[in-house]
Amino acid sequence: MPIETPRSQYRQVADLIRAAIDSKEFGLGDPLPPEQDLAGRYGVSRHTVNRAVQILRSEGLVRVERGKGTIVREIPVIRRDAMSRYNQSTRERQGARGAFDAEITALGMTPRAEVTVERIPASAAVAEGLRLTEGEPVIRRMRHMYANDVPVQLAPSYIPASIADGTPLAEQDSGPGGIVSRFADLGHRQVRITESIRIRRADAVEQAFLQLEDEQPVIEIWHTGWTADDRPVEVCVHVAPAHLWILDYDWSIS
Amino acid sequence: MPIETPRSQYRQVADLIRAAIDSKEFGLGDPLPPEQDLAGRYGVSRHTVNRAVQILRSEGLVRVERGKGTIVREIPVIRRDAMSRYNQSTRERQGARGAFDAEITALGMTPRAEVTVERIPASAAVAEGLRLTEGEPVIRRMRHMYANDVPVQLAPSYIPASIADGTPLAEQDSGPGGIVSRFADLGHRQVRITESIRIRRADAVEQAFLQLEDEQPVIEIWHTGWTADDRPVEVCVHVAPAHLWILDYDWSIS
DNA sequence: CAGTGGTCTAGACCACCAC
DNA sequence: TGGTGGTCTAGACCACTGC
């Protein structure tokens, strides 16, 4: 009998399932046994197993497909190097691929991004980030990003329409070196980056795309690019499952 | 009847309680009504209310005191500016106070930190971070940090004993300007910082100190200070409730 | 002792999926 | 139609708190 009383059963069951995954008894990409079976196996009610599975879901270890079963997730942790993504030499080395592609390729996976460009009124938050008035037109470059066809990040980028209209910034394919290079071409060279990171619950849209569980936290990186005259010209909001990413920063001090 | 079927009741109840907190009906620092009462009020079973409360706990909005009740948390979000914490002029301006003190004071709260210094063998992770062998002696400066006497961060710092032994780095009070200044005094000036950020579940020790719920995520910042000859001389592991902090980074690009 | 939340079971009904 | 997980209720017992 593996279940002992001092610790809650559902937590112990979660540990047991986690161990079974680690030991490959439940393989990556495979479904777990039905909750009813697990209940019998561990000598608890299905409700208790269900609760254990909730923990594993909130950790991002498994994903539920309604009516089918509970699947062990396969995506490993992705590292994002904030600084090197944006410096000139890295951009040149990466060519048209961009930082995200490099990060995913480094893990031996196949990256894919879908870009949708729209001209929309700025939300209050975006307006504040770009120092505009709410409702002013902005170009939104919405990116849906995948690794091995698994959604791993949602990253809408916002640019004042006054800058982007009629330029490659408003095109789906922004050309070699990514959009940071286009800003430079247009006389809006970004010289400074700020990023604010916070953890929050996913909203409904994010949950749907990222295949997230309800209680699963996401990382939100609010990225702003500034020109030499201290004007914000681009805001990019990276949203990704919190369990999936490690963020790296690296800088010199004086 | 506020409860509708398409969305799960416990989520709706969580929303209702959240709204009641926002509208000050349930004040900061006050206990919520008993779950039995809330069950009657919203027309659901206590189990469903309990589940709703779990959500609020995982968001860090409330905290349960066993046998007493469920209390609305009072600590607002704390911003941590990674770059300015470590540059010379900021350190001088802050004097003996240090970055953490400044961050908490900025919110109108009273900071407090308890420092415990110990000489211990390096764990595998710390050894790797400091480029030592597992088991080599290191000085651990464990910091328990509070805002208005509420625990908000656990931040052990590790320094090779070969550097810290017999120096102020191994003293409880490391003197003006914080330990970064002491490293400089000792000829180990830190010129580069790396930080790796990830989100994970809290371990038992962290849960206890940070008054965390089981499923509540923490931010772990693995901070390393490097000398000009590219040697890691200090590793600091900041662990804090994920909901409590916003991390700011700010840098120039070329 | 009464009040609080923590947890568990049994049983039920639902929505969604595959056959 | 049967299998899967999602959710809810009723009822119960426990541990911890404060009187």
Side-chain angles (χ1 to χ4, degrees):
Chain A
M1 191 81 72
I3 305 290
E4 296 158 19
T5 32
R7 220 160 92 78
S8 54
Q9 298 184 30
Y10 69 87
R11 245 170 245 138
Q12 296 182 56
V13 170
D15 291 346
L16 290 168
I17 298 175
R18 207 184 289 110
I21 292 173
D22 287 344
S23 74
K24 318 281 183 195
E25 183 183 346
F26 304 151
L28 299 186
D30 294 343
L32 296 182
E35 294 187 353
Q36 204 56 260
D37 292 9
L38 291 172
R41 172 172 179 162
Y42 298 128
V44 299
S45 71
R46 179 167 83 90
H47 191 280
T48 301
V49 171
N50 183 276
R51 187 126 185 231
V53 171
Q54 310 242 1
I55 295 183
L56 304 177
R57 295 171 66 172
S58 76
E59 293 170 9
L61 203 58
V62 302
R63 159 181 52 92
V64 169
E65 295 192 8
R66 284 284 296 260
K68 287 204 276 189
T70 303
I71 286 89
V72 180
R73 290 198 191 242
E74 333 183 39
I75 300 288
V77 167
I78 304 170
R79 297 192 79 115
R80 171 183 186 272
D81 187 330
M83 272 66 177
S84 81
R85 312 182 113 226
Y86 296 102
N87 74 42
Q88 181 94 39
S89 62
T90 307
R91 289 210 314 282
E92 282 166 1
R93 191 171 59 251
Q94 286 167 350
R97 295 187 327 172
F100 173 75
D101 281 24
E103 284 153 9
I104 302 304
T105 307
L107 294 169
M109 295 190 291
T110 307
R112 185 162 60 86
E114 292 163 3
V115 181
T116 323
V117 181
E118 262 188 307
R119 195 172 194 277
I120 58 171
S123 67
V126 168
E128 194 194 331
L130 288 173
R131 291 212 196 131
L132 301 176
T133 310
E134 187 176 347
E136 273 193 77
V138 294
I139 301 297
R140 180 179 68 187
R141 305 178 55 85
M142 174 60 90
R143 282 178 301 166
H144 291 79
M145 296 146 99
Y146 305 80
N148 284 1
D149 289 324
V150 177
V152 293
Q153 190 180 146
L154 205 57
S157 203
Y158 301 88
I159 308 164
S162 58
I163 291 179
D165 274 343
T167 75
L169 292 173
E171 301 297 322
Q172 226 186 355
D173 180 359
S174 59
I179 62 175
V180 176
S181 303
R182 291 300 82 68
F183 275 100
D185 300 344
L186 294 165
H188 301 289
R189 202 160 79 84
Q190 299 182 15
V191 301
R192 193 166 70 92
I193 301 290
T194 56
E195 295 196 343
S196 281
I197 302 164
R198 62 190 212 100
I199 311 301
R200 59 168 174 80
R201 289 182 310 142
D203 69 25
V205 173
E206 294 158 354
Q207 261 175 41
F209 172 67
L210 297 170
Q211 299 178 356
L212 287 183
E213 315 300 335
D214 270 295
E215 287 18 294
Q216 212 176 329
V218 291
I219 295 183
E220 175 186 286
I221 305 174
W222 195 270
H223 170 106
T224 309
W226 304 77
T227 55
D229 54 345
D230 223 29
R231 264 219 315 160
V233 290
E234 179 196 9
V235 162
C236 183
V237 186
H238 300 264
V239 177
H243 68 277
L244 212 51
W245 291 76
I246 292 182
L247 311 181
D248 287 323
Y249 291 86
D250 180 336
W251 70 96
S252 298
I253 57 176
S254 53
Chain B
M1 189 79 73
I3 305 291
E4 295 158 19
T5 32
R7 223 161 88 79
S8 55
Q9 298 183 29
Y10 69 87
R11 244 169 248 138
Q12 296 182 56
V13 170
D15 291 346
L16 290 168
I17 297 174
R18 207 184 289 110
I21 292 173
D22 287 344
S23 75
K24 318 281 185 195
E25 183 183 346
F26 304 151
L28 299 186
D30 294 343
L32 296 182
E35 294 187 352
Q36 203 55 260
D37 292 8
L38 291 171
R41 172 172 179 161
Y42 298 129
V44 299
S45 71
R46 179 169 80 90
H47 191 282
T48 301
V49 171
N50 183 274
R51 188 127 186 231
V53 171
Q54 310 244 359
I55 295 184
L56 304 178
R57 294 170 66 172
S58 77
E59 293 170 9
L61 204 58
V62 302
R63 159 180 52 92
V64 170
E65 295 191 9
R66 283 285 295 260
K68 289 203 275 189
T70 303
I71 287 89
V72 181
R73 291 198 191 243
E74 328 184 43
I75 301 289
V77 168
I78 304 170
R79 297 191 79 114
R80 171 184 187 272
D81 187 330
M83 271 70 176
S84 83
R85 310 182 115 229
Y86 296 103
N87 74 43
Q88 181 93 41
S89 62
T90 307
R91 290 210 313 282
E92 280 165 2
R93 190 170 61 250
Q94 287 167 347
R97 293 188 329 170
F100 174 75
D101 281 25
E103 284 153 8
I104 302 303
T105 307
L107 293 169
M109 295 191 291
T110 307
R112 184 161 62 85
E114 293 162 2
V115 181
T116 323
V117 181
E118 263 188 307
R119 194 173 195 278
I120 58 171
S123 68
V126 167
E128 193 194 331
L130 289 173
R131 292 215 196 128
L132 302 175
T133 310
E134 186 176 347
E136 273 193 76
V138 295
I139 301 298
R140 180 180 68 188
R141 305 178 55 84
M142 174 60 91
R143 281 179 301 166
H144 291 80
M145 296 146 99
Y146 305 80
N148 283 2
D149 289 324
V150 177
V152 294
Q153 191 180 145
L154 205 55
S157 204
Y158 301 89
I159 308 164
S162 58
I163 292 179
D165 274 342
T167 75
L169 292 174
E171 301 298 322
Q172 226 186 356
D173 181 358
S174 59
I179 61 175
V180 176
S181 303
R182 292 299 83 68
F183 275 100
D185 300 344
L186 294 165
H188 300 290
R189 201 159 80 84
Q190 298 182 16
V191 300
R192 194 166 69 91
I193 301 290
T194 57
E195 293 195 345
S196 280
I197 302 163
R198 62 190 213 100
I199 310 303
R200 59 169 173 80
R201 290 182 310 142
D203 68 26
V205 173
E206 294 158 354
Q207 261 177 40
F209 172 67
L210 297 170
Q211 298 178 356
L212 288 184
E213 316 299 336
D214 270 295
E215 288 15 298
Q216 212 175 330
V218 292
I219 295 184
E220 175 186 285
I221 306 174
W222 195 269
H223 170 106
T224 308
W226 304 77
T227 56
D229 54 345
D230 223 31
R231 263 218 318 161
V233 291
E234 179 195 10
V235 162
C236 183
V237 186
H238 300 264
V239 177
H243 69 277
L244 212 51
W245 291 77
I246 292 182
L247 311 180
D248 287 323
Y249 291 86
D250 179 337
W251 69 97
S252 298
I253 58 176
S254 53

